[in-house]
PDB file of all heavy atoms in Angstrom:
ATOM      1  N   GLY A 363      22.923 -18.177  17.543  1.00 96.00           N
ATOM      2  CA  GLY A 363      23.875 -17.104  17.543  1.00 96.00           C
ATOM      3  C   GLY A 363      25.215 -17.452  16.966  1.00 96.00           C
ATOM      4  O   GLY A 363      25.884 -16.713  16.346  1.00 96.00           O
ATOM      5  N   LEU A 364      25.683 -18.607  17.353  1.00 95.00           N
ATOM      6  CA  LEU A 364      27.014 -19.098  16.738  1.00 95.00           C
ATOM      7  C   LEU A 364      26.873 -19.362  15.268  1.00 95.00           C
ATOM      8  O   LEU A 364      27.879 -18.945  14.558  1.00 95.00           O
ATOM      9  CB  LEU A 364      27.479 -20.308  17.509  1.00 95.00           C
ATOM     10  CG  LEU A 364      27.842 -20.238  18.956  1.00 95.00           C
ATOM     11  CD1 LEU A 364      28.216 -21.475  19.622  1.00 95.00           C
ATOM     12  CD2 LEU A 364      28.964 -19.137  19.069  1.00 95.00           C
ATOM     13  N   ALA A 365      25.771 -19.766  14.750  1.00 95.00           N
ATOM     14  CA  ALA A 365      25.436 -19.929  13.354  1.00 95.00           C
ATOM     15  C   ALA A 365      25.589 -18.556  12.679  1.00 95.00           C
ATOM     16  O   ALA A 365      26.113 -18.442  11.585  1.00 95.00           O
ATOM     17  CB  ALA A 365      24.220 -20.671  13.095  1.00 95.00           C
ATOM     18  N   LEU A 366      24.967 -17.624  13.327  1.00 94.00           N
ATOM     19  CA  LEU A 366      24.939 -16.229  12.802  1.00 94.00           C
ATOM     20  C   LEU A 366      26.346 -15.769  12.645  1.00 94.00           C
ATOM     21  O   LEU A 366      26.681 -14.915  11.761  1.00 94.00           O
ATOM     22  CB  LEU A 366      24.192 -15.303  13.667  1.00 94.00           C
ATOM     23  CG  LEU A 366      22.712 -14.981  13.417  1.00 94.00           C
ATOM     24  CD1 LEU A 366      22.113 -14.213  14.428  1.00 94.00           C
ATOM     25  CD2 LEU A 366      22.520 -14.426  11.981  1.00 94.00           C
ATOM     26  N   THR A 367      27.178 -16.002  13.601  1.00 94.00           N
ATOM     27  CA  THR A 367      28.598 -15.551  13.675  1.00 94.00           C
ATOM     28  C   THR A 367      29.703 -16.276  13.000  1.00 94.00           C
ATOM     29  O   THR A 367      30.844 -16.168  13.247  1.00 94.00           O
ATOM     30  CB  THR A 367      28.969 -15.120  15.091  1.00 94.00           C
ATOM     31  OG1 THR A 367      28.871 -16.351  15.937  1.00 94.00           O
ATOM     32  CG2 THR A 367      27.990 -14.035  15.574  1.00 94.00           C
ATOM     33  N   ARG A 368      29.241 -17.311  12.216  1.00 93.00           N
ATOM     34  CA  ARG A 368      30.229 -18.244  11.571  1.00 93.00           C
ATOM     35  C   ARG A 368      30.560 -17.578  10.251  1.00 93.00           C
ATOM     36  O   ARG A 368      29.745 -17.172   9.409  1.00 93.00           O
ATOM     37  CB  ARG A 368      29.567 -19.550  11.209  1.00 93.00           C
ATOM     38  CG  ARG A 368      30.532 -20.622  10.682  1.00 93.00           C
ATOM     39  CD  ARG A 368      29.768 -21.850  10.313  1.00 93.00           C
ATOM     40  NE  ARG A 368      29.013 -22.367  11.488  1.00 93.00           N
ATOM     41  CZ  ARG A 368      27.766 -22.654  11.546  1.00 93.00           C
ATOM     42  NH1 ARG A 368      26.922 -22.240  10.539  1.00 93.00           N
ATOM     43  NH2 ARG A 368      27.084 -23.064  12.638  1.00 93.00           N
ATOM     44  N   GLU A 369      31.888 -17.411  10.023  1.00 91.00           N
ATOM     45  CA  GLU A 369      32.406 -16.846   8.750  1.00 91.00           C
ATOM     46  C   GLU A 369      32.293 -17.915   7.667  1.00 91.00           C
ATOM     47  O   GLU A 369      32.704 -19.107   7.813  1.00 91.00           O
ATOM     48  CB  GLU A 369      33.824 -16.374   8.928  1.00 91.00           C
ATOM     49  CG  GLU A 369      33.959 -15.149   9.884  1.00 91.00           C
ATOM     50  CD  GLU A 369      35.333 -14.580   9.995  1.00 91.00           C
ATOM     51  OE1 GLU A 369      36.033 -14.763   8.974  1.00 91.00           O
ATOM     52  OE2 GLU A 369      35.675 -13.921  10.930  1.00 91.00           O
ATOM     53  N   PRO A 370      31.817 -17.483   6.463  1.00 90.00           N
ATOM     54  CA  PRO A 370      31.972 -18.456   5.337  1.00 90.00           C
ATOM     55  C   PRO A 370      33.298 -18.802   4.889  1.00 90.00           C
ATOM     56  O   PRO A 370      34.167 -17.916   5.011  1.00 90.00           O
ATOM     57  CB  PRO A 370      31.063 -17.655   4.281  1.00 90.00           C
ATOM     58  CG  PRO A 370      31.279 -16.211   4.572  1.00 90.00           C
ATOM     59  CD  PRO A 370      31.370 -16.204   6.135  1.00 90.00           C
ATOM     60  N   GLU A 371      33.439 -20.001   4.425  1.00 89.00           N
ATOM     61  CA  GLU A 371      34.695 -20.533   3.904  1.00 89.00           C
ATOM     62  C   GLU A 371      34.985 -19.835   2.546  1.00 89.00           C
ATOM     63  O   GLU A 371      34.144 -19.567   1.742  1.00 89.00           O
ATOM     64  CB  GLU A 371      34.764 -21.981   3.836  1.00 89.00           C
ATOM     65  CG  GLU A 371      34.636 -22.709   5.152  1.00 89.00           C
ATOM     66  CD  GLU A 371      34.576 -24.264   5.113  1.00 89.00           C
ATOM     67  OE1 GLU A 371      34.824 -24.704   3.974  1.00 89.00           O
ATOM     68  OE2 GLU A 371      34.540 -24.899   6.038  1.00 89.00           O
ATOM     69  N   ASN A 372      36.303 -19.623   2.307  1.00 89.00           N
ATOM     70  CA  ASN A 372      36.846 -19.177   1.004  1.00 89.00           C
ATOM     71  C   ASN A 372      36.093 -17.860   0.685  1.00 89.00           C
ATOM     72  O   ASN A 372      35.622 -17.684  -0.392  1.00 89.00           O
ATOM     73  CB  ASN A 372      36.631 -20.198  -0.040  1.00 89.00           C
ATOM     74  CG  ASN A 372      37.316 -21.478   0.147  1.00 89.00           C
ATOM     75  OD1 ASN A 372      38.467 -21.450   0.694  1.00 89.00           O
ATOM     76  ND2 ASN A 372      36.654 -22.608  -0.016  1.00 89.00           N
ATOM     77  N   PHE A 373      35.924 -17.049   1.679  1.00 91.00           N
ATOM     78  CA  PHE A 373      35.158 -15.800   1.371  1.00 91.00           C
ATOM     79  C   PHE A 373      35.979 -14.588   2.062  1.00 91.00           C
ATOM     80  O   PHE A 373      36.406 -14.650   3.223  1.00 91.00           O
ATOM     81  CB  PHE A 373      33.801 -15.836   2.059  1.00 91.00           C
ATOM     82  CG  PHE A 373      32.786 -14.835   1.669  1.00 91.00           C
ATOM     83  CD1 PHE A 373      31.918 -15.257   0.680  1.00 91.00           C
ATOM     84  CD2 PHE A 373      32.630 -13.661   2.234  1.00 91.00           C
ATOM     85  CE1 PHE A 373      30.924 -14.349   0.253  1.00 91.00           C
ATOM     86  CE2 PHE A 373      31.648 -12.749   1.881  1.00 91.00           C
ATOM     87  CZ  PHE A 373      30.821 -13.107   0.821  1.00 91.00           C
ATOM     88  N   GLN A 374      36.275 -13.645   1.277  1.00 92.00           N
ATOM     89  CA  GLN A 374      37.084 -12.484   1.750  1.00 92.00           C
ATOM     90  C   GLN A 374      36.222 -11.383   2.279  1.00 92.00           C
ATOM     91  O   GLN A 374      35.601 -10.654   1.551  1.00 92.00           O
ATOM     92  CB  GLN A 374      37.952 -11.880   0.532  1.00 92.00           C
ATOM     93  CG  GLN A 374      38.936 -12.923  -0.098  1.00 92.00           C
ATOM     94  CD  GLN A 374      39.834 -13.383   1.019  1.00 92.00           C
ATOM     95  OE1 GLN A 374      40.504 -12.512   1.691  1.00 92.00           O
ATOM     96  NE2 GLN A 374      40.177 -14.634   0.951  1.00 92.00           N
ATOM     97  N   ILE A 375      36.121 -11.330   3.570  1.00 92.00           N
ATOM     98  CA  ILE A 375      35.166 -10.420   4.297  1.00 92.00           C
ATOM     99  C   ILE A 375      35.978  -9.170   4.579  1.00 92.00           C
ATOM    100  O   ILE A 375      37.089  -9.106   4.922  1.00 92.00           O
ATOM    101  CB  ILE A 375      34.628 -11.026   5.686  1.00 92.00           C
ATOM    102  CG1 ILE A 375      33.925 -12.321   5.272  1.00 92.00           C
ATOM    103  CG2 ILE A 375      33.728 -10.081   6.336  1.00 92.00           C
ATOM    104  CD1 ILE A 375      33.275 -12.982   6.507  1.00 92.00           C
ATOM    105  N   ASN A 376      35.153  -7.987   4.443  1.00 94.00           N
ATOM    106  CA  ASN A 376      35.639  -6.710   4.832  1.00 94.00           C
ATOM    107  C   ASN A 376      36.112  -6.725   6.264  1.00 94.00           C
ATOM    108  O   ASN A 376      35.522  -7.319   7.186  1.00 94.00           O
ATOM    109  CB  ASN A 376      34.541  -5.637   4.654  1.00 94.00           C
ATOM    110  CG  ASN A 376      34.964  -4.249   4.949  1.00 94.00           C
ATOM    111  OD1 ASN A 376      35.089  -3.900   6.198  1.00 94.00           O
ATOM    112  ND2 ASN A 376      35.074  -3.471   4.025  1.00 94.00           N
ATOM    113  N   ALA A 377      37.175  -6.112   6.583  1.00 93.00           N
ATOM    114  CA  ALA A 377      37.843  -6.173   7.903  1.00 93.00           C
ATOM    115  C   ALA A 377      36.892  -5.577   8.959  1.00 93.00           C
ATOM    116  O   ALA A 377      36.831  -6.145  10.064  1.00 93.00           O
ATOM    117  CB  ALA A 377      39.178  -5.344   7.956  1.00 93.00           C
ATOM    118  N   LYS A 378      36.162  -4.518   8.603  1.00 94.00           N
ATOM    119  CA  LYS A 378      35.208  -4.032   9.680  1.00 94.00           C
ATOM    120  C   LYS A 378      34.007  -5.055   9.910  1.00 94.00           C
ATOM    121  O   LYS A 378      33.517  -5.095  11.113  1.00 94.00           O
ATOM    122  CB  LYS A 378      34.635  -2.655   9.096  1.00 94.00           C
ATOM    123  CG  LYS A 378      35.656  -1.584   9.097  1.00 94.00           C
ATOM    124  CD  LYS A 378      35.072  -0.351   8.610  1.00 94.00           C
ATOM    125  CE  LYS A 378      36.126   0.784   8.554  1.00 94.00           C
ATOM    126  NZ  LYS A 378      35.539   2.115   8.051  1.00 94.00           N
ATOM    127  N   ILE A 379      33.541  -5.686   8.931  1.00 93.00           N
ATOM    128  CA  ILE A 379      32.561  -6.773   9.129  1.00 93.00           C
ATOM    129  C   ILE A 379      33.093  -7.955   9.911  1.00 93.00           C
ATOM    130  O   ILE A 379      32.369  -8.325  10.756  1.00 93.00           O
ATOM    131  CB  ILE A 379      32.079  -7.313   7.772  1.00 93.00           C
ATOM    132  CG1 ILE A 379      31.511  -6.206   6.798  1.00 93.00           C
ATOM    133  CG2 ILE A 379      30.996  -8.354   7.998  1.00 93.00           C
ATOM    134  CD1 ILE A 379      30.365  -5.361   7.437  1.00 93.00           C
ATOM    135  N   ARG A 380      34.499  -8.195   9.769  1.00 93.00           N
ATOM    136  CA  ARG A 380      34.990  -9.359  10.593  1.00 93.00           C
ATOM    137  C   ARG A 380      35.058  -8.888  12.029  1.00 93.00           C
ATOM    138  O   ARG A 380      34.747  -9.718  12.882  1.00 93.00           O
ATOM    139  CB  ARG A 380      36.452  -9.590  10.098  1.00 93.00           C
ATOM    140  CG  ARG A 380      37.191 -10.683  10.861  1.00 93.00           C
ATOM    141  CD  ARG A 380      38.437 -11.127  10.204  1.00 93.00           C
ATOM    142  NE  ARG A 380      38.149 -12.118   9.105  1.00 93.00           N
ATOM    143  CZ  ARG A 380      38.408 -11.841   7.781  1.00 93.00           C
ATOM    144  NH1 ARG A 380      38.889 -10.619   7.445  1.00 93.00           N
ATOM    145  NH2 ARG A 380      38.050 -12.687   6.815  1.00 93.00           N
TER     146      ARG A 380
END
Side-chain angles (χ1 to χ4, degrees):
L364 291 178
L366 266 177
T367 57
R368 185 184 305 119
E369 294 188 21
E371 296 180 1
N372 303 317
F373 200 92
Q374 299 299 313
I375 299 181
N376 181 286
K378 293 181 179 179
I379 303 297
R380 181 169 282 113

